[in-house]
Amino acid sequence: MTAMAIRPDDLSHAAVQALLSEHLEDMYATSPPESVHALDLDALRAPDIAFYSAWDGDTLLGCGALRDLGDGHLEIKSMRAARDQRGRGTGAAILRHLLDEAVRRGAVRVSLETGVEPYFEPARRLYQRHGFVVCAPFADYVPDPNSVFMTLSLPA
């Protein structure tokens, strides 16, 4: 694992924008358009979203965001490790950071939506290793055969 600094990010850095563009392209290449719930740059700048990027010096390693759904419920959005960082612990480090941040904010639950396709299997395994369990759709989501909804109750 490389030296990693995870910090709040304003989405202005070209490398962050390129990583998120790659993320959207992969989501649309993998899932039917009506089942893609990834957010673009403008949506990630919403006031209810806190976005974080992970860096090793000037090298972007990955990113992730937390959306405040209200009532102590947060949603993980835009979890992404750079292609050359996959399988190296980057995703796990970003996830741990997001969960630590959720606890710091006093959240009681963190949920997420991911895909059912084999492409998403590593992500589902990562979430399961960190205690997430499959759940019903939450917030504004509706049942979707191409989506897996997962949630984690946080310690009080």
Side-chain angles (χ1 to χ4, degrees), residues 46-78:
D48 62 342
I49 295 179
F51 184 84
Y52 302 89
S53 57
W55 298 83
D56 178 5
D58 293 334
T59 302
L60 178 64
L61 306 177
C63 63
L66 289 170
R67 171 184 267 170
D68 189 342
L69 301 174
D71 296 323
H73 191 185
L74 301 177
E75 179 184 8
I76 292 176
K77 298 297 294 181
S78 301

